[in-house]
Amino acid sequence: MKNIAVIGAGTMGNGIAHTFAQFGFKVNLIDINDDALKSGLNTILKNLDRQLAKDKISEADKTKTLSNISSFTNIEEGVKQTDLVIEAATENLDLKLEIFKQLDTFCSSETILATNTSSISITQIAAITNRADKVIGMHFMNPVPIMPLVEVIRGYNTSNSVCQTIMELSKTLGKTPVEVNDYPGFVANRILMPMLNEAIETLYNGVAGVTEIDTVMKLGMAHPMGPLQLADFIGLDVCLSILNVMYTGFKNPKYAPCPLLVNMVNAGKLGVKSGEGFYDYSEGKKAEKISKQFS
């Protein structure tokens, strides 16, 4: 397996492309939005420069990594002669189903189709294709070049051989793959999102403020980042989407998103990406200033 295509040049997509390219794979980075594609490639360059400055890679490594990446705005052209396609588009079911319909048509019958979804059913995505045995989840963590985990999600019909191939492939990237089954939220977000939601509920109910909640979890539970800061970093819209997937999938009220989270997303306060969430990022991406709504 040498030729990889990545659909989507956003945060996760460019990180996945960067990682594969750095480990010697030929990568086609695909995004129908040319500006998004340019931005994604620029992010890869900046992250390589950061690695170079920290002596994590050499100048030759940087040059080789960049030479391994080709960019495309046409999906059909970008997925030709690929062994694996990883979809990393927006966390939207209808969009993912449309992409996988196209991939099933454009790709060789032997190509494995993976999705980086953090919560959407692999089985449902696979059902739109004629190769359900070759559809699998590869849930990378952000930032992809640094975080060691890959959550490998088996759909109902994913074959043993495809699962084993993806497990071994993940190891060649220096990652630790963990195999899980296909249920809403998988493992990572089934555990993480209720915790983040409960932190938001704790704020909503006036138990404590933003700083106090995050400080308790950092100092008391040794979390590197408080839950409200982490929610801002992930994106409050993404958190809401994942909680809604789990609430719909399990029909259990414990997964119901906090009204405060819903209101913040409706108001466009999405966290780091929008410049404000629980913290104010207007002067930088560090969570040092509490949003005026909560100060």
Side-chain angles (χ1 to χ4, degrees), residues 233-277:
F233 180 73
I234 293 169
L236 301 188
D237 53 337
V238 175
C239 294
L240 178 60
S241 174
I242 295 169
L243 284 164
N244 280 330
V245 167
M246 293 196 294
Y247 184 50
T248 300
F250 290 117
K251 304 293 191 295
N252 189 323
K254 75 177 181 179
Y255 299 113
C258 176
L260 175 58
L261 174 62
V262 175
N263 278 346
M264 290 179 71
V265 172
N266 287 340
K269 308 298 184 182
L270 309 181
V272 176
K273 70 173 76 176
S274 70
E276 185 180 354

Side-chain angles (χ1 to χ4, degrees), residues 184-197:
F186 316 135
V187 170
N189 282 316
R190 183 169 179 172
I191 295 169
L192 175 64
M193 287 300 155
M195 184 194 76
L196 301 188
N197 197 45

Side-chain angles (χ1 to χ4, degrees), residues 104 122-123 126-127 129-136 155-159:
D104 195 42
I122 309 303
T123 303
T129 75
N130 293 306
R131 63 180 85 196
D133 60 318
K134 293 184 179 68
V135 178
I136 195 165
Y156 191 83
N157 292 305
T158 305
S159 71

Side-chain angles (χ1 to χ4, degrees), residues 49-64:
D49 284 337
R50 189 175 292 113
Q51 289 178 306
L52 184 61
K54 294 179 178 179
D55 293 324
K56 301 290 186 182
I57 61 171
S58 67
E59 188 67 45
D61 293 329
K62 172 187 169 181
T63 300
K64 182 63 175 175

Side-chain angles (χ1 to χ4, degrees), residues 87-107:
E87 171 272 318
T90 304
E91 195 74 346
N92 176 286
L93 175 60
D94 291 338
L95 175 61
K96 290 185 187 296
L97 293 180
E98 179 57 34
I99 289 171
F100 272 79
K101 276 184 185 178
Q102 293 181 51
L103 294 178
D104 195 42
T105 300
F106 298 148
C107 294

Side-chain angles (χ1 to χ4, degrees), residues 34-54:
D34 189 53
D35 288 339
L37 193 56
K38 290 175 181 175
S39 176
L41 292 169
N42 189 50
T43 297
I44 292 171
L45 177 59
K46 287 180 179 178
N47 288 336
L48 286 168
D49 284 337
R50 189 175 292 113
Q51 289 178 306
L52 184 61
K54 294 179 178 179

Side-chain angles (χ1 to χ4, degrees), residues 160-180:
N160 290 334
S161 62
V162 165
C163 186
Q164 189 59 36
T165 295
I166 296 302
M167 293 286 285
E168 293 302 319
L169 176 66
S170 299
K171 292 175 185 176
T172 68
L173 301 174
K175 305 298 185 186
T176 300
V178 177
E179 180 184 336
V180 306

Side-chain angles (χ1 to χ4, degrees), residues 75-127:
I75 292 180
E76 184 173 6
E77 287 295 318
V79 300
K80 281 182 179 178
Q81 298 179 328
T82 51
D83 304 305
L84 169 69
V85 180
I86 303 173
E87 171 272 318
T90 304
E91 195 74 346
N92 176 286
L93 175 60
D94 291 338
L95 175 61
K96 290 185 187 296
L97 293 180
E98 179 57 34
I99 289 171
F100 272 79
K101 276 184 185 178
Q102 293 181 51
L103 294 178
D104 195 42
T105 300
F106 298 148
C107 294
S108 158
S109 60
E110 297 304 310
T111 302
I112 296 173
L113 305 182
T115 173
N116 183 59
T117 181
S118 54
S119 63
I120 294 172
S121 169
I122 309 303
T123 303
Q124 187 174 5
I125 292 172

